[in-house]
Amino acid sequence: MSVLDRFRLDGGRALVTGASRGIGKAVAEALAEAGCDVAVAARTLPALRSTVAAVEERGRKAVALDGDLALPEVATGLVERAAAGLGGLDVVVLNAGVLPHGEDGAVLLEPLHRADPEDWNSVIAVNLSATAALAGAAHDHLVSSGRGSLILMSSIAGVASLPALEAYGAAKAAQLSLVRSLAVGWARQGVRVNAVCPGWTRTDMTAFATGYGALSDWLTSHVPLGRWATTDEIAGATLFLASPAASYVSGHALFVDGGITVPEIGLGGFPKPASPLAGG
Ligand SMILES: NC(=O)c1ccc[n+]([C@@H]2O[C@H](COP(=O)([O-])OP(=O)(O)OC[C@H]3O[C@@H](n4cnc5c(N)ncnc54)[C@H](OP(=O)(O)O)[C@@H]3O)[C@@H](O)[C@H]2O)c1
């Protein structure tokens, strides 16, 4: 097998949560391009139409699955429907995630001491509890695969400070802990477990910042590569971890962050505009 062939996943069967848009959609497309049939999940079926079309355009089967991962009972059924629809699972990408948001969908930036405890619960429910439940439900299928790969879409937030988004940061850090424990626990069963940690990536989730020039400029001024990531850049790293090219990689967190988590002590000389963020 040539080294490039090792990035292919022909005949693979993959589940991607949060696949209606953003990073999850790009990951579903990448997996299909590499040869996987893909089960794609989001809260509603209409939201998944364009991802289903994109998978099918690449000559692969798509299975659309609806389910609100804020509800604890949804995770197990979702995995079983994916496995039934594809005849098993080789790759599972747990990507669905949320920032705390109000009823109008606007992101809530509230420091812990002022935040509503319900916002903590709702962020933990989707980003952590559902992720753990989905991983547990996927275990037997990934073991049966013989080449199982589980990938959690964590974040730079898992290792960096995130004032006013503490619940999100705590959930993303806990995902990294889960990756380490599962990677060791499932290793002798032939299942690899890894995390992708995206940095600032241009999606609906970050529209609150990309759509606000001063905030966008401020955030990217802290990124050594000096710009937002595209969803394809996150998908490429995810495909690597899913593929035989990463067959000896487990328990790893792959940062795709333009270098932002490298401690920068000023010698880089990156100019920073005035901060648009108020303290408190
Ligand atoms: N964008 C970034 O800068 C960034 C950086 C680091 C990490 N991440 C992580 O990357 C992942 C994807 O982020 P993104 O930027 O692509 O976000 P996005 O554009 O907001 O997409 C989020 C996806 O999650 C799904 N989802 C949200 N709530 C759900 C729920 N309760 N049940 C089921 N599915 C739900 C959404 O589907 P529906 O709304 O259609 O149901 C959508 O497909 C997240 O885990 C996020 O934390 C993002």
Side-chain angles (χ1 to χ4, degrees):
M1 192 188 276
S2 79
V3 70
L4 286 182
D5 286 343
R6 291 177 61 76
F7 287 82
R8 292 207 54 83
L9 277 160
D10 293 302
R13 301 154 299 177
L15 165 64
V16 183
T17 65
S20 57
R21 50 197 157 84
I23 292 171
K25 181 167 190 265
V27 168
E29 290 172 1
L31 290 169
E33 207 166 313
C36 285
D37 292 336
V38 192
V40 292
R43 281 172 295 184
T44 64
L45 293 178
L48 287 163
R49 272 191 208 124
S50 78
T51 311
V52 166
V55 169
E56 290 175 346
E57 272 163 25
R58 288 159 174 80
R60 307 308 312 181
K61 177 177 176 178
V63 174
L65 303 169
D66 58 340
D68 184 347
L69 291 171
L71 307 173
E73 66 274 16
V74 165
T76 304
L78 195 74
V79 170
E80 292 313 320
R81 284 152 65 204
L86 298 179
L89 288 172
D90 306 295
V91 174
V92 172
V93 182
L94 301 180
N95 165 79
V98 288
L99 291 173
H101 54 83
E103 285 187 6
D104 60 356
V107 174
L108 296 172
L109 294 171
E110 282 289 356
L112 185 68
H113 54 281
R114 287 206 296 265
D116 183 338
E118 266 317 299
D119 295 330
W120 175 278
N121 292 338
S122 63
V123 169
I124 297 295
V126 176
N127 294 356
L128 180 58
S129 304
T131 298
L134 288 160
H139 169 266
D140 289 1
H141 299 293
L142 292 170
V143 172
S144 298
S145 153
R147 55 170 173 164
S149 173
L150 172 67
I151 297 162
L152 271 53
M153 198 58 67
S154 180
S155 170
I156 53 171
V159 297
S161 59
L162 219 60
L165 286 171
E166 287 88 353
Y168 181 82
K172 293 298 179 182
Q175 286 185 343
L176 296 179
S177 169
L178 196 56
V179 161
R180 288 189 289 269
S181 297
L182 296 182
V184 172
W186 296 0
R188 297 294 168 98
Q189 297 167 319
V191 180
R192 295 183 299 106
V193 185
N194 291 288
V196 175
C197 294
W200 298 118
T201 308
R202 196 177 283 277
T203 67
D204 289 357
M205 180 178 274
T206 50
F208 75 97
T210 53
Y212 174 32
L215 181 54
S216 177
D217 291 349
W218 171 250
L219 294 175
T220 53
S221 73
H222 292 75
V223 181
L225 288 183
R227 62 173 175 83
W228 289 81
T230 66
T231 55
D232 284 345
E233 289 174 312
I234 311 304
T238 309
L239 174 60
F240 163 66
L241 290 174
S243 74
S247 54
Y248 203 55
V249 181
S250 197
H252 188 69
L254 178 48
F255 285 80
V256 189
D257 66 357
I260 196 172
T261 50
V262 176
E264 203 277 297
I265 58 171
L267 298 177
F270 305 128
K272 298 203 170 36
S275 171
L277 301 172

